[in-house]
Amino acid sequence: MSVASDGLEGIVAAETVLSHVDGDRGRLIFRGHDIGDLAGRTSQEAVAALLWSGFVAAEPTAIAGALGTARGVALEIARPLLPLARGLSPVEGLRLLLAALPDTATTPHPVLATAAMPVFVAALQRDRLGHPPILPDPTLSQAADFLRMLRGAPAETAHVAALETYLVTVADHGLNASTFTARVVASTRAGVFSSVVAALCALKGPLHGGAPGPVLDMLDAIGTDDRIEPWLEQAIGRGDRLMGFGHRVYRVRDPRADVLKGVALSLRGGANRIRFAEAVEAGALRVLARLKPGRRLDTNVEFYTALVLEALALPRDLFTPIFAVGRVVGWTAHILEQTQGGRIIRPASAYVGPMPKAAA
Ligand code: ACO
């Protein structure tokens, strides 16, 4: 009989000062601050300063400037590689560009990795539309500069604020699959950029950071109110997972879902879409309770992430790369924490195969 925990459920694999996910109470804490007190009130730069504190040798006040300067460095790394990314999906293109960050870089690596994300995503998107990349503006915030580099024009204040809230909300989340992956790679001393590339590879799966695009596909496929429950019942009957629902740790509603629902409601033009999404959400919760009794499945962060990013008129296949623009802050904090104190992560396996035959 195997002694392994399926999916490592319930296994504590690290001690961290960075974030705490209380799955029973629906609470998320970043270094002593509830997510509801940070989201909408602080910038990605401030959350980076909070999470990197004690790990990155940069004054909090200097982090915004360092990220601004590093965005320029990142663009020069990306520029010659953009033709190689043509034909790849945006997340594959991002994987390619991140892999080119040199371990010899003199910019502090967490800063360069974080600065590179918005630059790379914007440059990849413009390149596939046949446009050259736009030079970063080091005086802007990451959120404002990202939207400007992506769209070719300064973004309206409400859009910058919405994206900022999203980036802060998803900055860190305990030992989720991508962060755990980052820590495993970091534990071998492979370096920050290798750990970030590995984290992105874990993030892109549909059970993790790949879920929000399919959330919108689901809303489109359902189409009208009368089809909600029959469509969802059929999907579960086929053995499909409902995207944007369920979580390994939360047994109640993911607190990030409400933060992002508020953001989606604050953006212009999406009232009908959000009303329909709310109806689908309510239908999904009823169907899951009926067909998956005993599981306590609730709404997760990805459901309203999809609505926020759609209201910002961002293409669906950029949703996972944009998740990485936010989550890289947490990845790099965990990489540094792991590197400072941790041993190589090397769990054991239980062998359940055949034993060699005894010699005659
Ligand atoms: N739809 C339908 N059934 C589900 C769902 C869902 N969204 N989530 C869980 N279940 C059911 C399944 O029957 C599953 O059993 P199976 O493996 O026999 O099919 C069972 O509940 C597993 O439940 P849990 O133990 O609570 O789930 P687990 O921890 O293994 O997986 C996960 C968590 C991957 C998030 C899962 O709920 C899921 O696939 N959700 C849909 C994808 C999604 O929204 N991902 C984003 C998560 S948030 C993030 O990563 C940023």
Side-chain angles (χ1 to χ4, degrees):
M1 196 179 76
S2 170
V3 293
S5 162
D6 193 13
L8 296 185
E9 180 161 7
I11 302 293
V12 176
E15 289 190 351
T16 180
V17 298
L18 299 171
S19 61
H20 173 54
V21 183
D22 183 336
D24 293 323
R25 292 182 188 79
R27 197 168 181 200
L28 171 60
I29 295 167
F30 291 176
R31 286 197 133 169
H33 302 271
D34 271 304
I35 191 61
D37 294 332
L38 293 172
R41 297 180 190 181
T42 193
S43 63
Q44 186 188 34
E45 285 79 359
V47 165
L50 177 70
L51 291 176
W52 292 347
S53 168
F55 299 118
V56 172
E59 289 300 316
T61 48
I63 283 178
L67 285 168
T69 307
R71 289 198 294 279
V73 175
L75 181 58
E76 294 321 309
I77 292 168
R79 211 187 276 279
L81 296 171
L82 289 170
L84 297 178
R86 287 178 196 148
L88 298 177
S89 69
V91 74
E92 291 168 327
L94 181 61
R95 187 179 63 191
L96 184 149
L97 296 184
L98 287 173
L101 290 173
D103 286 337
T104 51
T106 50
T107 308
H109 292 189
V111 172
L112 184 53
T114 301
M117 288 291 183
V119 173
F120 288 177
V121 177
L124 287 162
Q125 173 64 7
R126 287 187 59 83
D127 190 71
R128 76 171 165 166
L129 297 176
H131 304 311
I134 289 182
L135 276 179
D137 178 346
T139 66
L140 293 179
S141 68
Q142 289 256 110
D145 209 18
F146 174 52
L147 288 177
R148 188 191 63 90
M149 289 186 289
L150 194 66
R151 297 172 172 172
E156 59 185 278
T157 312
H159 282 199
V160 175
L163 182 67
E164 191 86 80
T165 302
Y166 169 71
L167 298 178
V168 167
T169 303
V170 301
D172 197 29
H173 203 241
L175 268 201
N176 59 86
S178 57
T179 302
F180 181 56
T181 303
R183 288 190 78 125
V184 170
V185 177
S187 82
T188 73
R189 307 290 188 263
V192 171
F193 302 136
S194 298
S195 307
V196 167
V197 172
L200 179 77
C201 294
L203 184 78
K204 88 189 255 295
L207 299 191
H208 187 16
V215 166
L216 295 185
D217 298 340
M218 174 176 74
L219 297 185
D220 291 346
I222 295 172
T224 51
D225 287 80
D226 56 312
R227 283 168 42 86
I228 292 175
E229 292 204 23
W231 192 97
L232 295 169
E233 281 170 359
Q234 273 179 20
I236 294 190
R238 284 193 304 270
D240 292 354
R241 303 276 174 109
L242 302 184
M243 292 292 135
F245 297 91
H247 200 272
R248 172 58 60 80
V249 181
Y250 290 119
R251 288 296 159 242
V252 294
R253 193 178 170 80
D254 183 333
R256 300 168 299 174
D258 284 327
V259 171
L260 296 180
K261 183 175 178 178
V263 174
L265 286 166
S266 76
L267 290 166
R268 258 185 293 132
N272 278 341
R273 185 69 155 163
I274 291 166
R275 191 213 52 76
F276 182 60
E278 285 174 326
V280 171
E281 181 189 15
L285 296 179
R286 279 193 299 272
V287 168
L288 287 168
R290 206 158 54 234
L291 301 185
K292 300 281 176 186
R295 275 291 176 190
R296 296 177 72 191
L297 299 169
D298 214 317
T299 315
N300 68 44
V301 65
E302 300 292 46
F303 192 78
Y304 285 104
T305 287
L307 276 292
V308 170
L309 299 182
E310 182 182 54
L312 291 173
L314 297 165
R316 286 179 198 189
D317 60 3
L318 287 195
F319 289 5
T320 305
I322 294 170
F323 194 163
V325 172
R327 182 55 60 83
V328 66
V329 170
W331 288 339
T332 46
H334 279 269
I335 290 164
L336 296 167
E337 188 180 52
Q338 180 65 40
T339 312
Q340 275 196 4
R343 295 170 73 197
I344 188 167
I345 296 176
R346 202 303 184 193
S349 49
Y351 179 64
V352 294
M355 295 303 283
K357 291 198 171 55

